[in-house]
Amino acid sequence: ALGLDEEDRVIIFDFDKDKNLLVTGTSGSGKTNLFRNIIMNVLINYTDTKIIILDTQSINYNDFANVCEVVNGKDDVIKKIKLLRREFEERVKNGNRERILVFIDEIYEILEMDNSVDEDINYLLSLGDKCNIHLIVSTDTLSNDDMVRIFTNNNTCKISFYMTTRGEYNIFLSNIVNESLNNDGMYLDSDKNLSRVIIPLIGDDEIERVKKGVVLMRRKRDGIDKEKKRDNIFTIILSICDVIAVIVLFLLYGPYNNFRDWLVTTAMST
């Protein structure tokens, strides 16, 4: 769930149908809160999904570090984007389809440092969902050609928070937005329907509560897995012992019809 529309209906973002999400808005307009909302929803409802957060600013998502993979620093973020493309190419070969959800915050700053990742991001936006890799990407500006090329992708769902000019709304949403958005967003879904969306404000206490629940659940799951592994190891050991016992008995008694024959033969040989 992304939030509510003006008639209090829940707006759903479906990974399988909607694939990726592009987000724009000036600093402080609500992008980080949206990211936190989606991360929380995924942690609660999609326990088999791996979450990767790429945060060049190193300040907004560190509180998720014990339940998600958080990558900070521009160099590490750029390296991770390239590794994700390789991950996709490996998945084509090996058939792995574990869902990965990648949050890329303020992509404009990354492209300013190394615009070669533009090709990787467009590649993943176009094909990543075929191997269950989904991107949620944000920017605070559409001021250069790389940003326009990424954020005017017509096959991708979009949310726009407050932008400084009407032209930017038109470029991004292919629609003029005349109304004041405040902290709300305008959501363009995969069917090209445009609606105003109200994003709930996520507090730090809610994040901590969910994180504790996720950690406990994973510990319980890991404990069950370890128990199963112990049982499997014990079963394997018993099986090996059975095989060894059969081999020993065969070596001792195999050439003879029964135990008595073996005793007689042994006695005569002595």
Side-chain angles (χ1 to χ4, degrees):
L2 293 177
L4 302 174
D5 67 11
E6 292 180 286
E7 297 179 6
D8 288 338
R9 292 173 299 197
V10 177
I11 295 180
I12 300 294
F13 179 81
D14 182 349
F15 297 112
D16 295 326
K17 176 189 175 187
D18 300 324
K19 300 178 176 52
N20 305 294
L21 181 64
L22 301 176
V23 185
T24 62
T26 58
S27 180
S29 61
K31 301 188 300 297
T32 299
N33 184 58
L34 172 67
F35 273 28
R36 287 171 172 263
N37 264 279
I38 299 173
I39 292 167
M40 294 274 281
N41 267 281
V42 173
L43 287 172
I44 294 169
N45 298 307
Y46 299 93
T47 56
D48 58 343
T49 296
K50 180 179 181 179
I51 300 174
I52 300 173
I53 305 169
L54 309 184
D55 177 23
T56 57
Q57 297 179 345
S58 307
I59 55 174
N60 292 321
Y61 306 99
N62 290 333
D63 47 354
F64 287 106
N66 64 335
V67 290
C68 305
E69 181 182 349
V70 180
V71 181
N72 290 324
K74 292 180 181 178
D75 290 339
D76 290 336
V77 166
I78 289 168
K79 187 184 299 182
K80 189 65 180 181
I81 291 171
K82 294 185 178 298
L83 285 174
L84 284 166
R85 177 164 178 171
R86 282 187 220 159
E87 167 80 13
F88 170 82
E89 292 165 350
E90 286 298 316
R91 285 178 170 224
V92 171
K93 300 174 186 174
N94 62 31
N96 181 11
R97 295 296 183 269
E98 175 196 8
R99 179 183 286 132
I100 298 178
L101 184 57
V102 184
F103 293 81
I104 307 178
D105 195 23
E106 302 298 359
I107 187 65
Y108 174 76
E109 295 182 7
I110 301 170
L111 293 176
E112 282 284 285
M113 181 177 178
D114 184 351
N115 65 5
S116 70
V117 295
D118 168 55
E119 182 185 346
D120 299 312
I121 292 168
N122 276 297
Y123 183 87
L124 290 169
L125 284 172
S126 299
L127 298 173
D129 66 282
K130 302 294 188 295
C131 290
N132 223 359
I133 299 175
H134 306 270
L135 271 56
I136 298 181
V137 185
S138 79
T139 184
D140 60 3
T141 181
L142 298 175
S143 62
N144 67 31
D145 292 340
D146 290 334
M147 300 309 301
V148 171
R149 186 162 51 252
I150 292 173
F151 281 81
T152 54
N153 189 318
N154 290 324
N155 297 317
T156 306
C157 297
K158 302 172 182 179
I159 289 184
S160 179
F161 293 97
Y162 173 75
M163 302 291 286
T164 54
T165 67
R166 292 182 180 180
E168 288 180 295
Y169 292 119
N170 193 31
I171 291 171
F172 183 55
L173 300 172
S174 301
N175 282 275
I176 296 293
V177 177
N178 291 316
E179 55 189 301
S180 174
L181 291 178
N182 298 319
N183 289 324
D184 298 343
M186 295 299 293
Y187 178 53
L188 186 70
D189 65 23
S190 55
D191 296 320
K192 307 307 177 189
N193 299 311
L194 187 65
S195 54
R196 185 164 182 151
V197 56
I198 303 163
I199 312 295
L201 183 63
I202 296 293
D204 292 339
D205 56 335
E206 294 176 82
I207 293 174
E208 285 302 315
R209 199 159 50 242
V210 169
K211 281 167 50 184
K212 286 179 182 177
V214 170
V215 169
L216 287 173
M217 179 187 65
R218 289 180 179 175
R219 283 177 181 169
K220 183 177 179 181
R221 182 185 64 197
D222 292 344
I224 292 171
D225 290 342
K226 286 178 182 177
E227 200 170 306
K228 286 181 179 177
K229 286 180 182 178
R230 281 197 299 269
D231 291 343
N232 290 338
I233 291 170
F234 185 65
T235 302
I236 291 169
I237 291 171
L238 286 178
S239 299
I240 292 171
C241 289
D242 289 343
V243 170
I244 292 172
V246 169
I247 293 171
V248 169
L249 288 172
F250 176 79
L251 291 173
L252 289 175
Y253 313 125
Y256 309 98
N257 292 328
N258 53 49
F259 182 66
R260 183 180 297 172
D261 290 342
W262 179 79
L263 280 177
V264 171
T265 304
T266 304
M268 290 177 64
S269 64
T270 56

